[in-house]
Amino acid sequence: MSTDLIGVLVLVVVFVLAALRGLNMGILALISAFLFGTVWLGHPAKEVLAGFPVDMFVVLVAVTFLFGIARTNGTVDWLVHAAVRAAGNRAAVVPWILFLLATALCATGAASPAAVAILAPIGITFAVRHRISPLYVGLMAVNGAAAGSFAPTAILGGIVNSSLAANHLKVGATALFAGTFAVNAAAAGITWLVFGRGRTLATVADEDGAADQAPPAPGVEQVATLVALVLLVTGTTVLGLDTGLFALTLAAALALVFRSTAQRATREIAWPVVLLVCGIVTYIALLQRLGVVDSLGSSIAAVGAPLLAALLICYVAGVVSAFASTTGILGALMPLAAPFLASGSIATTGTVVALASAAVVVDASPFSTNGALVVANAPEQLRSATYQGLLRWGAGVCAIAPFAVWAAFVVL
C-alpha cells in the first residue's frame, strides 16, 4: 500500500473515530501525525510539528480573547444595537450588510481571516440577540470575505494573476473578480434560503433579558474597547499588520487597564476549537509535505481529456482548501494547471475562475481559519451545533460547488 493511500486512510479513520467516540478530532489528528509521520515514516517529531499552524493558533486565541473582553463589558451589544438602528431596525438586512462589509474589506486588501475576525463576533452576537441562527450570520460574513478575495487589489487576486503571469498566461482581472463574486453571492443567497428565512432560536435569549432595550451611552471601558476595535480594523486593512498578533496586543492592553473584565473574558477563549482546527491542519500539512497533494495534482494534470482534468483539479482545490490554506492550495495548483491551460484546448479565464471559486467557496469549513472563527465566537451552548452545521455545509459545498463552477465557467 502506498504512503499516499495510507495517509488518506488515516485521515478517514480520524473522522470516523471522532464521530463514533466523541473525542476531540484535533487530539486524534495530532496523534495520527505522530504515529504516521514519526513512528511509521521515521520523520523527526520536530519536522512533523513544523506544520502546526502558529498563525491560525494566534488568530483564534487573540480574536476570541479580544472580543471576549468586548462582549463581557457590553461593547459588542452596543455595536449590535447601533447596527440594527443603522439598518432602520430591520434585522433581516444586517446579515447582508455584513456580507457587503466583508466583501469591501477583502477587496481593498484585507486578508480574509482579518475581515471575518472583525465582523463575525459582532454578527453572531446580533444573531443571538435577535433569535437568528449564528450559523447563518457567520456564513454570510465568510461568503462576503470570499466574494471580495479576487478583486484586482485583493490578496488572492494578486496571487492568481502573478502566478499565471509567471507561466506566460493571462486572465482578465475583472472577469476573475466578477466570476468569483457571483459564485459567492450565490452561496450567500443559498445560505439565506437554508438558514436565514424564518429560522429562529427560540431557546436563546440575552442573559439580562433586555433584548429590545437600547443600550446606554458607552462608558470609559466601552469607549476604550471601541478604540481598540477601530485600531484593529485600521491596522489590519490599511497598515497590513498581522491580525493575530495585533489583536493580542490590543487585548493585552485592555486587560492591563481593566483587569476584572479581562479575567472574566479569558473564559471566552475557545480552546477546544483551537485544538480541533490546529490538530487537523497539522496533519494535513504533513500530507502536503510528504507530497500527497502534489502527487494527486500531477496525476490529474496528466489526464488526457482537458475538461475532465479541469473538473478533477477543481475538486482537489475545493476539498484540500477546506482543510488547508486557500492561498497555499492556489499557489500549488495554478502552476499544475498551467500546462493544459497553455495548450489552448480549454478556456483559460473560465478555468481559472472555476478553480479559484472552488478553492474559496469552501472557506466556511470548520477546519479553515474563517470557519473556525465562526465556531469559536458562537455562544458555548450553541458551539457544537454551529460546528456540526458548518461541517455539513462544508461537506455539501465540497461535493457540489466544484462541479457547479466547472459546468458554469468551463463547460458553458
Side-chain angles (χ1 to χ4, degrees):
M1 188 179 295
S2 69
T3 300
D4 292 358
L5 182 57
I6 294 173
V8 173
L9 288 177
V10 168
L11 184 61
V12 172
V13 171
V14 166
F15 276 93
V16 172
L17 288 178
L20 294 178
R21 305 304 298 173
L23 183 62
N24 188 297
M25 198 180 299
I27 294 176
L28 292 172
L30 286 172
I31 294 170
S32 297
F34 166 68
L35 294 177
F36 179 55
T38 300
V39 177
W40 180 262
L41 297 177
H43 294 281
K46 185 177 182 180
E47 182 180 315
V48 171
L49 289 175
F52 186 87
V54 177
D55 53 348
M56 186 182 293
F57 173 86
V58 175
V59 165
L60 291 174
V61 172
V63 168
T64 53
F65 184 33
L66 176 60
F67 279 91
I69 294 174
R71 273 193 293 264
T72 302
N73 65 23
T75 303
V76 172
D77 284 342
W78 186 89
L79 286 170
V80 167
H81 277 283
V84 174
R85 287 197 299 273
N89 291 320
R90 296 187 294 273
V93 176
V94 174
W96 288 99
I97 293 177
L98 290 176
F99 173 87
L100 294 174
L101 284 174
T103 300
L105 286 173
C106 288
T108 53
S112 178
V116 175
I118 293 164
L119 296 173
I122 299 171
I124 289 172
T125 302
F126 155 81
V128 173
R129 178 176 290 276
H130 291 274
R131 305 181 188 277
I132 298 172
S133 168
L135 181 61
Y136 165 50
V137 176
L139 282 170
M140 292 298 281
V142 175
N143 290 333
S149 290
F150 290 95
T153 52
I155 294 174
L156 292 182
I159 289 173
V160 170
N161 286 314
S162 61
S163 177
L164 291 171
N167 288 277
H168 308 290
L169 294 169
K170 186 177 181 180
V171 66
T174 302
L176 175 62
F177 179 38
T180 52
F181 177 87
V183 169
N184 289 285
I190 294 171
T191 300
W192 173 75
L193 287 172
V194 175
F195 300 108
R197 191 176 58 173
R199 299 298 179 91
T200 60
L201 293 172
T203 60
V204 179
D206 292 318
E207 293 180 1
D208 60 5
D212 297 323
Q213 297 178 10
V220 174
E221 187 173 351
Q222 288 77 29
V223 170
T225 307
L226 286 170
V227 170
L229 297 181
V230 171
L231 288 174
L232 178 62
V233 175
T234 305
T236 55
T237 60
V238 178
L239 302 179
L241 298 176
D242 181 83
T243 304
L245 291 175
F246 191 40
L248 190 61
T249 301
L250 294 170
L254 290 172
L256 288 172
V257 178
F258 306 106
R259 185 177 175 183
S260 61
T261 299
Q263 289 176 339
R264 297 195 305 273
T266 54
R267 295 192 293 270
E268 299 281 338
I269 300 176
W271 292 113
V273 178
V274 173
L275 178 59
L276 167 70
V277 177
C278 291
I280 287 291
V281 171
T282 300
Y283 184 77
I284 296 297
L286 174 63
L287 295 185
Q288 289 179 309
R289 194 177 305 108
L290 293 174
V292 175
V293 175
D294 287 345
S295 176
L296 183 59
S298 298
S299 299
I300 290 171
V303 172
L307 281 177
L308 178 59
L311 174 60
L312 293 176
I313 209 164
C314 282
Y315 268 102
V316 171
V319 173
V320 177
S321 183
F323 297 92
S325 165
T326 301
T327 304
I329 194 61
L330 283 173
L333 290 182
M334 283 298 171
L336 289 174
F340 64 84
L341 289 175
S343 69
S345 58
I346 195 168
T348 300
T349 298
T351 303
V352 171
V353 170
L355 179 56
S357 298
V360 79
V361 78
V362 298
D363 277 357
S365 157
F367 306 114
S368 69
T369 305
N370 288 347
L373 283 168
V374 173
V375 177
N377 284 285
E380 186 174 355
Q381 70 272 26
L382 297 175
R383 196 167 289 161
S384 177
T386 303
Y387 166 75
Q388 294 294 335
L390 285 182
L391 191 61
R392 290 191 293 269
W393 173 267
V397 170
C398 284
I400 297 170
F403 179 84
V405 296
W406 171 79
F409 296 107
V410 181
V411 177
L412 299 181

